[in-house]
Amino acid sequence: MKKYRIAIEETLRKVVEIEAETPGLAVCRAEDEYNEEKHVLSADNFAGADIALSADDTTFMEALGNTDFMEYVQCRFEEYRESISIEDKIRLAFGSFDNALYEFGEYRKEAARNRPQVYLLYRSDAWHSRSSMELIAPFSSLENMMEYLRRKKKEFRLTESDLEEFENNQQTQRRDENYLYESDYLDVLPEQEPELPPKDDVFYDKVFTCGQSELSRRELESLPEPFNTCHVTDEQMEQIVYETEMETRDQLRLGEGESIDFNNDHHSEIWWEEMEKAVVRHGVPYYEDE
């Protein structure tokens, strides 16, 4: 009977809280504390066991040299790729979650450094006022712009000190005519806001009440200068109605037992004025302002 090498691995797991500036530093600090035996794992921390053919077993190594077997493994991996959890993908690709975060941060920094930029060269007055700025030419790099200025040095009456000042501080500091530049990334688009699902009639027709005051989003949408209430929460509507009721009563100097009389033109006018003020205070936009 043939002998096989079987690897038995037990996993102990303990979660500790570490204060640090970044996940990577937290892991490093946890490693230091573990090496100092501040975190000792025992049988109480048992998280599972894995029993499988050892990687140094003869059968295992022979299989790795079998092309058909490797193709079969690759094929099955492709079949199950979508079902592999993101946690397992992170472990396979990066070793740990903190490694993934670190590499992602470095990737974003590198991507930002490599984004194409445009450099705009301007001529301006002695005070660098924006109204005086005249565009001379765009450039794809600071080096190209500096080379252009060196070639135009005599025509633009630039000294070596001017060029050094321009390169270090983005502008010259002369008493008459000056040169400066601005730079920005190309194709910068604002992040698209996620589309919200359309609100139904129940959302717009819901009535909020406080004392004699009643108000719905539909009424705010139907004013001569309508408000856009798509993002107004129920809590905001409740507060708007409350403030409208209280401010109207205060303006009319109504006593505790007196009510707002909407058949009274003066009462009604004050109520609508206070209601609009409350809506504006809560940042609800008019449609015409968007």
Side-chain angles (χ1 to χ4, degrees), residues 15-34:
V15 178
V16 297
E17 291 189 350
I18 303 290
E19 291 187 359
E21 295 179 358
T22 67
L25 289 176
V27 172
C28 290
R29 189 165 298 171
E31 289 177 350
D32 292 340
E33 293 181 1
Y34 175 77

Side-chain angles (χ1 to χ4, degrees), residues 45-63:
N45 305 116
F46 178 77
D50 183 55
I51 304 174
L53 202 63
S54 176
D56 62 357
D57 182 80
T58 304
T59 305
F60 188 100
M61 292 186 287
E62 289 176 353

